Amino acid sequence: MKKINYKQSIQKLTGWSTEYYNKQYDIYRLKVRTFERETGKSEKINVAASFYYTIKAQKSGKPLSPQKRGILSTPALSTSKKRKQSLIASERRAKAYYEYRLRGLFMVNDKLREYFYNENIPWAVRQERLKAYLDSLNGTKKAQINKAAKISEIGNIEDLVNIFEEFGDGEYELGFEF
């Protein structure tokens, strides 16, 4: 069996320069290591071989394996020890849910928006506080938030101000305290 020089083969297949190949390889390597951490794989993936076969499959139009699709959809995060820990998949989904749910309120409530995006507070703490906040709201206030979220997609901030005033709530913060 002939040993493949993955770097030369990829460059020949794609026409990439050495500099561009090195950059793409580094990005793919970070994606692979992040994928291994997030999935708990104990066995290391051969990055060069995986990169080659991924590029080859993409160029030939063949479908990628679930693992290769997972690697490509994983963010390229640094592997250094000083790197801030990224959120695990369930935390990312929860954050996206709260962001979607509160998007209209973020436009008129600076305090809530700043709290939500404050990276100095661990996500688990922020999530608990947001959940408690949403649980404490009555039906009218929840209706305000839902209506504001829908209008924020098509309207502007003036439309949102009118929504909250329509419900007789002149304070846009809806009782959010830390």
Side-chain angles (χ1 to χ4, degrees), residues 3-153:
K3 184 174 165 111
I4 300 174
N5 182 328
Y6 295 115
K7 182 176 182 175
Q8 288 177 351
S9 299
I10 290 174
Q11 285 181 294
K12 191 167 128 182
L13 191 64
T14 60
W16 292 347
S17 66
T18 301
E19 185 178 312
Y20 188 74
Y21 167 83
N22 289 339
K23 182 175 180 170
Q24 294 304 310
Y25 178 81
D26 286 342
I27 291 169
Y28 190 79
R29 181 181 50 78
L30 291 172
K31 286 180 176 227
V32 167
R33 297 303 173 233
T34 303
F35 177 78
E36 289 172 342
R37 270 195 315 275
E38 288 186 357
T39 58
K41 288 186 80 56
S42 58
E43 194 175 304
K44 292 259 186 209
I45 295 171
N46 181 339
V47 177
S50 177
F51 190 41
Y52 171 73
Y53 290 112
T54 299
I55 297 286
K56 189 174 175 182
Q58 287 176 326
K59 287 289 183 186
S60 65
K62 292 181 182 171
L64 297 175
S65 69
Q67 178 177 318
K68 286 189 177 41
R69 284 195 312 266
I71 290 170
L72 290 176
S73 66
T74 302
L77 301 174
S78 169
T79 57
S80 78
K81 300 292 182 207
K82 294 178 186 174
R83 178 182 59 82
K84 136 184 118 146
Q85 290 298 313
S86 66
L87 300 175
I88 61 174
S90 62
E91 291 173 329
R92 284 194 306 265
R93 284 192 302 273
K95 188 172 183 180
Y97 166 77
Y98 285 110
E99 191 170 34
Y100 180 78
R101 178 90 193 280
L102 298 169
R103 68 192 182 282
L105 194 52
F106 285 161
M107 293 179 77
V108 293
N109 187 338
D110 294 334
K111 189 162 69 169
L112 178 63
R113 185 179 57 247
E114 287 170 13
Y115 181 76
F116 184 86
Y117 291 109
N118 185 345
E119 295 296 327
N120 296 327
I121 302 170
W123 170 247
V125 173
R126 288 182 283 161
Q127 181 179 2
E128 275 303 308
R129 179 63 192 100
L130 290 167
K131 184 178 181 326
Y133 168 65
L134 289 173
D135 288 345
S136 73
L137 298 177
N138 63 28
T140 303
K141 298 213 187 253
K142 286 182 182 178
Q144 286 176 316
I145 291 173
N146 291 334
K147 191 171 181 183
K150 289 176 183 154
I151 290 201
S152 72
E153 294 174 353

Side-chain angles (χ1 to χ4, degrees), residues 155-168:
N156 62 31
I157 191 135
E158 297 307 317
D159 296 331
L160 292 173
V161 170
N162 294 336
I163 287 173
F164 290 103
E165 289 175 349
E166 244 178 62
F167 283 98

